[in-house]
Amino acid sequence: MLKIITTIAFFICTLLMSAQNVNLTVSVSGLKSNAGTLKVGLYNSEGTFLKSVYKGISSEIKNNSATLTFVGIPKGEYGISAYQDENSNGKLDKNMMGIPSEDIACSNNAKGFMGPPKYKDAKFNINKDSKIDIKFNN
């Protein structure tokens, strides 16, 4: 009997936890070509923004755009960065001064001034299944 109650409690907890999760679809446009792979990073705090990705996904580029979906993420505050890995080497290439040599974009069209974009400019909240558009400005 105890085993049945424990199993039922486990399933109820699992259902409640999954009800807290949402899907986030990211639609990216304005890429300069179909070369390489689009890499998208999802960040869940200011301290990790552009340093340590909370979740990352990648996609082929077709018609200079791509659509990706983060599935089952907790409701909350996030920021996104994306880059076109043109040479498919799995990393954001930079020049000798540390400036990215591959195209990048962030949520809310956040731009950096004399440095990378700030989390406060890129952050957004999601509390239900949502879609966000990111446009590369080449």
Side-chain angles (χ1 to χ4, degrees):
M1 181 70 167
L2 181 60
K3 192 173 188 179
I4 293 171
I5 293 172
T6 304
T7 303
I8 291 171
F10 172 77
F11 284 118
I12 290 172
C13 287
T14 302
L15 286 173
L16 289 174
M17 287 176 23
S18 67
Q20 300 295 320
N21 293 336
V22 296
N23 297 334
L24 174 62
T25 300
V26 181
S27 178
V28 180
S29 62
L31 296 158
K32 67 180 177 184
S33 72
N34 293 326
T37 306
L38 180 69
K39 303 279 188 174
V40 178
L42 183 67
Y43 302 86
N44 61 355
S45 72
E46 183 173 7
T48 62
F49 187 61
L50 302 178
K51 295 175 189 141
S52 177
V53 175
Y54 169 64
K55 291 200 184 258
I57 51 179
S58 52
S59 173
E60 287 183 25
I61 301 166
K62 295 181 181 176
N63 300 319
N64 298 12
S65 63
T67 301
L68 312 95
T69 302
F70 290 96
V71 177
I73 60 172
K75 297 175 184 177
E77 183 179 271
Y78 296 95
I80 290 178
S81 72
Y83 73 94
Q84 184 175 0
D85 186 7
E86 292 180 79
N87 57 5
S88 297
N89 66 352
K91 64 180 184 174
L92 176 62
D93 294 327
K94 299 177 181 179
N95 65 19
M96 291 176 45
M97 298 194 47
I99 298 170
S101 57
E102 293 178 307
D103 289 340
I104 61 170
C106 289
S107 46
N108 296 333
N109 200 30
K111 303 267 187 240
F113 178 74
M114 302 297 287
K118 306 284 186 227
Y119 181 74
K120 67 181 182 86
D121 297 327
K123 71 180 180 178
F124 58 92
N125 284 297
I126 58 169
N127 55 19
K128 61 181 180 178
D129 289 352
S130 302
K131 181 181 177 192
I132 188 167
D133 295 319
I134 295 179
K135 180 152 178 56
F136 276 67
N137 298 319
N138 299 314

